[in-house]
Amino acid sequence: MNTPTAAAQEYDVIVVGGAMAGAASAFILKQENPDLRVLVLDRRETLQRRVGEATIEISTYFLTRVLGLTTYLNESHLCKHGLRFWFANDRTKTIPDCSEIGGKYWSRVPAYLVDRATLDEEVLRRAVASGAELVRPAPVSEIKLNPGGLQEVIAKVDGVAKTFKARWVIDASGVAALLARQEGWWRRNEAHPTATIWSRWTGVKDWESLELKKKFPQWAATCHGQRGSATNHLMGRGWWAWWIPLKGGDVSIGAVYDQRTLEIPEGGRPHERLKAFLMQHPVAAELMRDAQPTEGDIHTRRNLAYYSTTFAGDGFALVSDAAGFLDPFYSPGLDWLSFSVSSATNMVLKAKKGEAVAPMVERMNADFNRSYHRWFEAIYKDKYHYMGEFDLMRTAFLMDLGLYYHGVASQPFRRGHVALLEPYYSTPPSTPFYHFMRTYNRRFAAMAESRHERGVAGQRNDHQRYMFPGYTFELGTLKFIFKAALYWGWLEITEGWRTWFTSPKQSGEMKEKTGTMPAPAKEVVAQTTVV
């Protein structure tokens, strides 16, 4: 721990939080302007393991081409090769019986499976090496805002409350969301009441093991890449689970569920409840039978989604989870971090050069408010309704991923770092795509509820295998989006008409709630997948 002297307690920027968002902010500021006096305050002596262990294309660009971590990531973490989804019903008994969506080959745009504790510590180390000061443990109790003047941050250092002053404060405090809660900006996303339970496990069977290849040779031969190097998902109506291998042999496994439909029963240790739930799926039953949880590494959290009504002001900016959180499905957390950190540091750097602050604050607030709410409506609102339907998820996945690749992920590779100043759906050209995505997401949710009510849910969840060749930034791969859109049209004609004249409330709500985390046994087996 570095403790500044009394004369050194005034800074240009104070960053609250030393994990990835705060460390990256400090590193970028010192790289772009070495003369800036940057202080990082973190409440912990060392950073702890946390969920968020998969990157996608935007965050990978940020980690590699903005933070310069390519060699480190290749040496210390695992390359990720896309997403893979597994579905089941009462006809599935083994892994090959389960319907599968996933890549036939390895991905061509890089991404990683990362241990966040070691990754975050490395970025923090580089920030300090670049000249940022670090004080820890230094839990922050209050941030006193003074628009246009010096902000005050009160933190406890060596048991004594100390005041640090700076022209700018970057709140990277994570889910604690210090400024948002302190100022009354914090809001729960009531339309998305999800909860989660997760842990790291040892003794999990290898997807590529000789045992499985001998046991299921035809199944093993259908994938020309490696199933285990993807983020695997088990899927079900109202829930999904992730399956992420980490360097060194641990596997991060967790479930996320919609509390309107499912609930974790009381009694028993959390890891026992998680394992019992997942073992109902043939994939987990095969791979997780002998798995053991890492002692003390089990976590639960309710009401995951929230947001701040304010993202910036004249003297402060909120970044990453301190500004809001949506959902871990599709692993977007580090993308949100990349956009918010890029915008916050850009504002501070430009203000230091004498540019007017007010227009930048106005733009950041408008962009991130628009981005959060449109992102939610286009991708996540009621998506849990149809997560247990193989054909609906395949169609949505092809359009979700394709539009992400061509509309979002391609931009920094083509235009450079400036594209990271434009969060999802914040620009006028993105508006038609937002409406398009919001529409098909709503329609698939309605169709899934109709299937459930008619007793035909999960009928395509066995013995279907969609091995996807993969997206690139080339225009030729747009064909997969068009094919998926055509299939959507066919679905509307063959079954969607049943919900054309029902209200969104009638077709879009999960109407019953089971008394346990899994739905009744037959239904859970009938509809299952993971991110």
Side-chain angles (χ1 to χ4, degrees):
M1 180 193 76
N2 301 320
T3 303
T5 63
Q9 291 185 344
E10 187 174 305
Y11 298 85
D12 294 301
V13 185
I14 295 174
V15 179
V16 178
M20 173 62 73
S25 298
F27 178 79
I28 291 171
L29 290 170
K30 291 299 293 185
Q31 288 292 308
E32 294 298 318
N33 186 343
D35 294 331
L36 282 178
R37 297 162 297 166
V38 179
L39 171 66
V40 179
L41 299 172
D42 193 82
R43 63 183 178 83
R44 298 149 296 194
E45 185 67 46
T46 59
L47 299 177
Q48 304 299 310
R49 300 184 84 174
R50 54 178 295 176
V51 75
E53 291 141 327
T55 76
I56 49 180
E57 287 72 14
I58 285 286
S59 53
T60 301
Y61 180 96
F62 180 77
L63 293 174
T64 57
R65 304 198 183 193
V66 177
L67 301 185
L69 294 168
T70 302
T71 299
Y72 166 75
L73 287 167
N74 287 333
E75 291 176 348
S76 303
H77 301 274
L78 300 176
C79 288
K80 169 186 169 182
H81 293 287
L83 307 176
R84 195 167 295 275
F85 306 86
W86 301 90
F87 302 78
N89 59 25
D90 54 2
R91 296 185 293 272
T92 56
K93 307 302 179 186
T94 65
I95 291 181
D97 295 338
C98 298
S99 289
E100 176 186 6
I101 301 168
K104 190 175 184 67
Y105 307 97
W106 279 6
S107 301
R108 285 170 281 184
V109 181
Y112 292 91
L113 304 171
V114 298
D115 187 323
R116 281 293 301 274
T118 59
L119 173 59
D120 292 11
E121 283 285 4
E122 175 63 19
V123 178
L124 184 57
R125 184 192 68 79
R126 295 188 182 207
V128 173
S130 297
E133 290 187 41
L134 171 64
V135 177
R136 66 176 182 181
V140 172
S141 59
E142 185 180 3
I143 302 172
K144 295 181 179 180
L145 299 178
N146 180 21
L150 289 178
Q151 322 308 313
E152 296 185 7
V153 179
I154 301 172
K156 184 173 288 188
V157 180
D158 294 332
V160 179
K162 292 192 175 183
T163 299
F164 303 88
K165 297 181 180 181
R167 174 64 179 88
W168 289 93
V169 170
I170 294 180
D171 184 0
S173 59
V175 296
L178 289 175
L179 265 179
R181 294 177 190 271
Q182 172 187 293
E183 299 298 318
W185 303 327
W186 190 92
R187 298 288 186 275
R188 178 178 295 162
N189 186 338
E190 300 287 357
H192 198 55
T194 52
T196 185
I197 176 172
W198 79 92
S199 184
R200 279 88 177 180
W201 300 75
T202 59
V204 179
K205 191 177 295 183
D206 183 4
W207 291 86
E208 319 304 329
S209 68
L210 289 177
E211 176 189 348
L212 288 183
K213 290 179 181 178
K214 291 178 179 179
K215 191 174 182 179
F216 309 118
Q218 290 184 320
W219 168 81
T222 57
C223 179
H224 299 337
Q226 295 176 353
R227 287 182 167 96
S229 60
T231 299
N232 281 272
H233 301 75
L234 310 181
M235 306 298 289
R237 181 177 182 271
W239 70 275
W240 62 276
W242 72 79
W243 200 284
I244 299 177
L246 302 174
K247 191 89 168 185
D250 284 1
V251 180
S252 173
I253 300 175
V256 184
Y257 58 97
D258 189 320
Q259 296 172 97
R260 294 171 296 185
T261 299
L262 306 175
E263 192 53 82
I264 301 176
E266 296 296 329
R269 300 174 67 186
H271 68 264
E272 294 170 345
R273 287 178 278 158
L274 175 61
K275 185 174 182 179
F277 170 45
L278 295 179
M279 287 287 284
Q280 296 177 79
H281 192 285
V283 169
E286 180 71 50
L287 301 182
M288 204 177 176
R289 184 178 298 110
D290 300 321
Q292 295 296 321
T294 302
E295 193 64 33
D297 192 8
I298 183 75
H299 311 270
T300 62
R301 187 177 299 161
R302 304 181 69 85
N303 302 314
L304 299 178
Y306 62 90
Y307 60 94
S308 175
T309 58
T310 300
F311 294 85
D314 189 353
F316 69 89
L318 282 59
V319 297
S320 193
D321 292 352
F325 184 81
L326 263 175
D327 197 287
F329 191 71
Y330 286 151
S331 303
L334 283 173
D335 273 21
W336 179 249
L337 181 153
S338 304
F339 287 121
S340 57
V341 166
S342 297
S343 295
T345 54
N346 177 70
M347 180 171 64
V348 171
L349 290 166
K350 285 187 173 181
K352 184 66 175 177
K353 293 178 181 179
E355 293 195 28
V357 171
M360 294 188 289
V361 167
E362 182 179 5
R363 176 179 175 179
M364 188 168 174
N365 280 318
D367 283 355
F368 281 90
N369 269 296
R370 184 184 303 114
S371 177
Y372 181 94
H373 294 288
R374 286 188 169 185
W375 187 5
F376 167 60
E377 292 180 358
I379 300 291
Y380 296 109
K381 183 174 172 57
D382 295 332
K383 199 180 201 79
Y384 283 64
H385 292 24
Y386 65 91
M387 281 185 168
E389 298 293 318
F390 165 77
D391 59 329
L392 298 181
M393 276 301 300
R394 178 189 61 191
T395 310
F397 167 70
L398 287 173
M399 292 192 285
D400 290 348
L401 184 63
L403 292 169
Y404 172 78
Y405 253 75
H406 288 280
V408 181
S410 64
Q411 297 308 302
F413 290 93
R414 291 172 176 163
R415 297 164 49 211
H417 301 173
V418 66
L420 296 181
L421 303 179
E422 301 170 353
Y424 299 150
Y425 308 112
S426 64
T427 61
S430 70
T431 299
F433 298 99
Y434 151 67
H435 287 291
F436 175 68
M437 298 176 77
R438 182 180 65 170
T439 299
Y440 70 69
N441 180 61
R442 184 179 70 248
R443 293 299 304 137
F444 292 156
M447 290 182 206
E449 285 304 283
S450 175
R451 289 181 183 182
H452 178 71
E453 292 169 356
R454 291 182 288 119
V456 296
Q459 292 300 301
R460 299 170 179 83
N461 287 0
D462 62 285
H463 299 95
Q464 304 288 320
R465 207 163 308 285
Y466 182 73
M467 305 302 285
F468 181 51
Y471 278 111
T472 68
F473 300 145
E474 303 304 317
L475 294 179
T477 58
L478 285 170
K479 65 183 180 183
F480 298 110
I481 303 175
F482 294 127
K483 287 181 178 180
L486 288 174
Y487 184 73
W488 170 26
W490 182 84
L491 284 170
E492 292 286 3
I493 294 171
T494 56
E495 64 171 297
W497 57 268
R498 292 183 173 88
T499 62
W500 285 351
F501 303 107
T502 58
S503 69
K505 183 176 181 180
Q506 288 175 311
S507 63
E509 289 186 350
M510 291 185 171
K511 298 180 180 59
E512 85 299 332
K513 180 174 179 177
T514 65
T516 61
M517 181 182 177
K522 182 175 180 179
E523 183 173 336
V524 169
V525 176
Q527 308 162 64
T528 319
T529 298
V530 177
V531 163

